[in-house]
Amino acid sequence: MSFSAKHNDARDDGLFQILVMESDAAELERLERLLTRFGHRVLPAADYNEAMVHLKITKPDIAFLEFLPSRAAHTEMLAALHNRFPDTLVVLLSIQSGSETTFPVYRMHIFDVLYKPVRASDLQFKVERCYQRLRIIHEKEMALKALREQNQKLIESQERFWLAQQFSHLGVWDWDLVTGRATRAEQAYKIPGSQTFFDSDNINDFYSMVHPEDQARVRRAQEDCIHHGKDYNTEFRIQDPGGSVRWLSERGNVIRDQNGRAIRMVGVVLDITKRKHAEAEQLRMVERIQETQRLEGLGVLAGGIAHEFNNLMMGILGNTSLLMESSPPESIMRKLNSIERSANRAAELTNQILAYAGKGQYFLERLNLSGLVRDIKQLLLISLHKHHEMIFQLQDDLPCIEGDMKQIQQLVVNLATNAAEALTGRENGKISVETGVRTLPRANFSMRENLEHVTPGEYVYIRVEDNGIGMDDETIEHCFEPFYTTRFMGRGLGLAAVEGILRSHHGVIDMRSVQDHGTVVTAYFPREGLLQEKTEAPEIPQAKPQEQDQTVVLFVDDDEMILEIAQSYLKENGFEVRLADNGRKAVDLAATSPGDIDIVLLDMTLPDISGQEVFEQIRKVNSAVPVILTSGYTQESVLGATEHLKPAGFLQKPYRPNDLLSIIERILKK
């Protein structure tokens, strides 16, 4: 191997940086030429000052220094080099011959001496010797570095193990099956904040601490492991000296001697008390959610039945009233009165069903939205998959809102459940639940149409964001429809219920969604007192001055019997009646002759388009005509969605013909 090749093993670039300080210019040039030919980088210096310039810029591996003890500069150079780079190997260039004791004062700073005149072979030999020394130093440094790193890793590993045991109450146990003595780690038997309560090495003392109901199971699991080679994996309860019960999980296995005899059993023990409590709480929460969903389903069913039943009762009460006004014989009148009383009791029953279905009145109170979310936090978390995460960012100093606590809790649960279901099949799913306060209207509101009738001011909001599957434009368009779902089955009203609750609380909803990226839903509630500050008395549309003999009534209902009763009764009382048995027909009649219609009776549940949409279309062609709304649902559930259209009145089904006549006359007189 050549001289340069050997150095290529010692340094990454295959070169040494060598400082040469020699006052003889010809000798300096010769030494530089030789070292350069050997493949090294040379830093030439004719004196102390030039050498110091090199030392300020770079660190030499080897330094060949001209040295005469009588010259102070040479002595200073040696001292300066040692102070600045103590690991640089120094070879003195000297004209003196003889033993190395010539340099007793400087011996500790000198690696070797090269005597002048310098021969090429001597120079090559000295560099080779420096190379060997540097290689030894380098290998020793690398070995020491590796040893320090291994020691540090061992210390860190021991610290992590100790901390893991401390914080997780995880410990190691060792049971000598020959002597019966057991060593059990204190971490699993320490009450947080106190001393270890179990320090006996007698296995029987351990059994006495196990809950009586679990002792037989623990012994049986240990025997199966010892005698049948089964894995030891069991969970059991222990009773601490204070009487409280804690849960432990133990895993272990048997160590056998060369003859196959079990001599030791070793394993780990983990305190799982918190996990068991969480599992029990989660089970209770799941049962509560299932009960809530069951009641919600029953409520929707009951509400639908009540609505249809009210329509049927309209036919009974209406025809009964018409017969009673025809002055029938007394015997017939008694029967009609009996029918009317029974129908009234049935109507009261439907109102109770509507209240059960959540369509009744709200119980308003002052609420802190952040506090409300905190109260149901655990209920929200149990809807999550174990690999998903829910983050809460709840503002503490929120203004209060006025609302029904149960309804708003249902809104929050629905939003969180929808978000959790959007994460199905996704790893690292995340849901963010945030509360705060903002001023509406806002320029970056996604659903601009929802802001048309929003009272300006401060609104308290809850924002639920997920990184789930998201929705396309078509899904967003339909997502607020009752029972609409993209999943295999619907489990309630979902976002339709959220929107309904917000309407009843004079709130507004905003949604942003990007397919395959996630969805953000924000529900806004007016802060307490906002509506009282901003709202003026609504202007009720006035009937137009009568310029014709008969008042024209547009009566809209999909029930044929109700249409017949209304037409008959209103005609008898001098009204002209135009009938529409669906929403589109009503819109067409209103648009064809908007100036001829004096008042509208509009049922809110129609087979083709909603009553609200019909109302909106009528308002476009006739902004002043009074519109009386009718429904089998209660007034509160209907007017919340139509308040901005300024209905003139509301008539709850079932109603009598004279109730119909009374409200029409009252509205027309205003």
Side-chain angles (χ1 to χ4, degrees):
M1 178 182 291
S2 69
F3 179 73
S4 297
K6 290 181 180 180
H7 281 279
N8 200 36
D9 294 333
R11 288 178 53 85
D12 294 338
D13 56 10
L15 301 174
F16 280 140
Q17 291 196 120
I18 301 177
L19 173 66
V20 180
M21 188 179 78
E22 170 60 53
S23 59
D24 187 323
E27 182 66 8
L28 176 62
E29 183 181 355
R30 190 176 73 87
L31 292 175
E32 181 180 4
R33 187 170 59 254
L34 286 172
L35 291 172
T36 302
R37 190 175 65 191
F38 295 153
H40 305 294
R41 182 185 175 200
V42 180
L43 308 174
D47 53 29
Y48 169 82
N49 292 330
E50 290 184 10
M52 289 304 297
V53 170
H54 288 304
L55 294 181
K56 290 179 181 179
I57 298 174
T58 186
K59 171 186 176 295
D61 300 303
I62 304 170
F64 287 96
L65 303 180
E66 180 183 33
F67 184 77
L68 294 173
S70 60
R71 294 187 182 180
H74 291 187
T75 306
E76 292 174 4
M77 182 66 231
L78 184 61
L81 179 61
H82 178 73
N83 291 334
R84 188 170 180 81
F85 302 116
D87 54 348
T88 295
L89 297 182
V90 178
V91 179
L92 295 184
L93 299 175
S94 176
I95 60 173
Q96 302 180 30
S97 60
S99 82
E100 296 177 359
T101 58
T102 308
F103 314 101
V105 179
Y106 315 103
R107 184 66 238 164
M108 61 182 298
H109 301 330
I110 301 171
F111 172 66
D112 208 342
V113 179
L114 184 60
Y115 296 105
K116 298 179 180 180
V118 177
R119 294 180 299 179
S121 58
D122 293 339
L123 180 63
Q124 180 177 347
F125 175 76
K126 295 300 182 181
V127 174
E128 280 276 9
R129 190 162 180 259
C130 289
Y131 160 75
Q132 296 297 338
R133 179 61 179 270
L134 288 172
R135 184 170 192 140
I136 292 171
I137 293 172
H138 174 73
E139 291 175 351
K140 188 180 295 184
E141 288 177 349
M142 295 302 293
L144 289 173
K145 180 181 178 182
L147 182 60
R148 286 194 296 269
E149 290 176 351
Q150 289 296 328
N151 287 339
Q152 183 62 31
K153 289 180 180 179
L154 180 60
I155 292 171
E156 292 174 356
S157 177
Q158 291 173 336
E159 289 177 347
R160 286 195 296 269
F161 181 70
W162 183 83
L163 290 172
Q165 292 187 93
Q166 289 293 111
F167 293 126
S168 67
H169 289 260
L170 175 70
V172 179
W173 53 267
D174 190 336
W175 178 18
D176 189 326
L177 299 177
V178 178
T179 64
R181 297 173 66 87
T183 303
R184 310 188 73 85
E186 68 175 41
Q187 281 82 4
Y189 301 95
K190 179 180 287 186
I191 303 173
S194 68
Q195 300 299 316
T196 303
F197 66 81
F198 177 72
D199 56 5
S200 174
D201 61 359
N202 190 317
I203 191 65
N204 291 321
D205 291 339
F206 166 72
Y207 287 135
S208 66
M209 190 174 60
V210 176
H211 194 283
E213 296 178 3
D214 299 338
Q215 287 183 8
R217 179 164 49 81
V218 172
R219 289 178 181 270
R220 185 166 58 252
Q222 291 174 343
E223 291 171 359
D224 286 343
C225 181
I226 295 170
H227 301 299
H228 305 293
K230 295 183 178 180
D231 289 338
Y232 177 62
N233 184 0
T234 187
E235 297 178 353
F236 56 91
R237 291 163 291 177
I238 59 173
Q239 292 177 313
D240 62 38
S244 62
V245 175
R246 300 170 63 208
W247 278 92
L248 298 182
S249 172
E250 281 196 344
R251 293 172 178 247
N253 218 323
V254 169
I255 298 176
R256 303 180 185 275
D257 62 16
Q258 58 185 3
N259 298 320
R261 183 170 65 99
I263 57 173
R264 288 171 62 201
M265 191 172 179
V266 296
V268 294
V269 57
L270 174 66
D271 188 327
I272 58 171
T273 305
K274 291 183 178 179
R275 194 194 82 191
K276 284 292 185 179
H277 289 169
E279 288 175 352
E281 181 63 23
Q282 181 175 357
L283 180 60
R284 287 192 291 270
M285 290 290 186
V286 169
E287 292 173 349
R288 285 174 57 187
I289 285 182
Q290 290 174 343
E291 179 67 9
T292 299
Q293 291 175 340
R294 185 183 69 83
L295 292 176
E296 179 186 314
L298 289 175
V300 172
L301 176 63
I305 292 174
H307 174 72
E308 293 300 323
F309 193 67
N310 272 339
N311 278 340
L312 295 175
M313 294 307 302
M314 271 294 303
I316 297 173
L317 279 173
N319 284 308
T320 301
S321 296
L322 292 176
L323 288 173
M324 293 173 70
E325 291 184 3
S326 64
S327 301
E330 185 177 350
S331 59
I332 300 298
M333 181 63 77
R334 286 197 300 270
K335 293 178 180 179
L336 292 174
N337 286 331
S338 177
I339 293 173
E340 187 178 45
R341 285 194 299 271
S342 297
N344 286 332
R345 285 197 297 270
E348 292 174 1
L349 177 61
T350 59
N351 287 332
Q352 295 177 22
I353 295 175
L354 286 171
Y356 167 77
K359 304 296 184 180
Q361 294 183 351
Y362 288 83
F363 298 92
L364 298 181
E365 55 184 310
R366 297 178 76 247
L367 298 173
N368 181 286
L369 193 54
S370 293
L372 183 145
V373 175
R374 289 191 184 97
D375 290 342
I376 60 172
K377 181 177 179 180
Q378 293 302 318
L379 184 64
L380 303 179
L381 289 174
I382 64 172
S383 63
L384 283 182
H385 187 274
K386 62 181 179 180
H387 295 306
H388 297 160
E389 179 184 9
M390 185 175 289
I391 301 171
F392 293 86
Q393 298 174 304
L394 308 178
Q395 186 172 324
D396 292 327
D397 54 348
L398 284 182
C400 287
I401 62 173
E402 290 183 343
D404 183 281
M405 182 176 66
K406 292 183 178 180
Q407 291 290 330
I408 297 179
Q409 284 179 341
Q410 185 65 53
L411 176 145
V412 176
V413 170
N414 282 10
L415 291 179
T417 301
N418 278 2
E421 291 179 349
L423 300 179
T424 302
R426 296 217 163 192
E427 296 182 359
N428 302 320
K430 184 180 293 185
I431 297 174
S432 171
V433 180
E434 175 188 338
T435 59
V437 60
R438 287 176 181 163
T439 300
L440 294 184
R442 303 179 68 228
N444 60 344
F445 209 83
S446 295
M447 307 179 76
R448 299 294 302 170
E449 66 277 7
N450 289 357
L451 288 178
E452 293 179 1
H453 305 284
V454 166
T455 301
E458 285 189 339
Y459 282 72
V460 179
Y461 69 86
I462 177 167
R463 179 177 179 268
V464 179
E465 179 177 1
D466 66 73
N467 61 349
I469 59 175
M471 293 181 285
D472 56 23
D473 293 339
E474 182 180 358
T475 303
I476 294 175
E477 184 178 352
H478 295 285
C479 67
F480 291 99
E481 296 175 3
F483 301 103
Y484 179 81
T485 179
T486 57
R487 300 180 289 275
F488 61 92
M489 63 178 296
R491 292 185 295 183
L493 293 174
L495 289 176
V498 169
E499 190 177 40
I501 293 171
L502 277 170
R503 281 199 305 264
S504 66
H505 287 80
H506 307 288
V508 64
I509 192 167
D510 190 27
M511 173 183 287
R512 303 169 187 268
S513 187
V514 178
Q515 200 164 12
D516 295 325
H517 286 79
T519 301
V520 182
V521 181
T522 309
Y524 294 89
F525 297 88
R527 66 163 175 79
E528 183 183 26
L530 174 65
L531 299 182
Q532 288 82 348
E533 295 170 2
K534 302 289 185 179
T535 303
E536 298 179 355
E539 178 184 350
I540 299 177
Q542 301 297 313
K544 62 174 181 158
Q546 299 301 305
E547 298 178 356
Q548 54 192 51
D549 296 333
Q550 282 189 311
T551 300
V552 178
V553 179
L554 173 58
F555 197 95
V556 187
D557 202 297
D558 63 326
D559 190 287
E560 184 178 352
M561 186 178 298
I562 295 175
L563 291 174
E564 291 177 358
I565 294 171
Q567 184 177 38
S568 173
Y569 191 76
L570 292 176
K571 279 188 174 182
E572 289 180 2
N573 285 274
F575 292 92
E576 178 184 340
V577 184
R578 299 179 185 179
L579 302 179
D581 58 3
N582 60 63
R584 289 188 173 85
K585 186 175 181 180
V587 172
D588 290 341
L589 288 173
T592 302
S593 53
D596 294 342
I597 297 174
D598 299 295
I599 194 166
V600 179
L601 270 292
L602 174 61
D603 182 35
M604 294 302 291
T605 306
L606 298 171
D608 50 356
I609 57 177
S610 70
Q612 180 178 344
E613 186 174 349
V614 174
F615 197 173
E616 291 171 347
Q617 294 298 323
I618 291 174
R619 275 282 172 261
K620 290 180 180 179
V621 298
N622 192 336
S623 61
V625 64
V627 178
I628 301 172
L629 305 181
T630 68
S631 177
Y633 294 114
T634 60
Q635 178 176 344
E636 289 80 5
S637 63
V638 172
L639 294 184
T642 60
E643 186 175 8
H644 63 286
L645 298 172
K646 299 178 181 179
F650 178 79
L651 190 58
Q652 171 78 56
K653 290 182 178 180
Y655 54 81
R656 300 177 183 83
N658 58 344
D659 295 331
L660 173 62
L661 180 61
S662 176
I663 192 171
I664 290 175
E665 291 179 342
R666 177 166 53 85
I667 296 300
L668 290 175
K669 286 180 181 179
K670 288 185 179 180

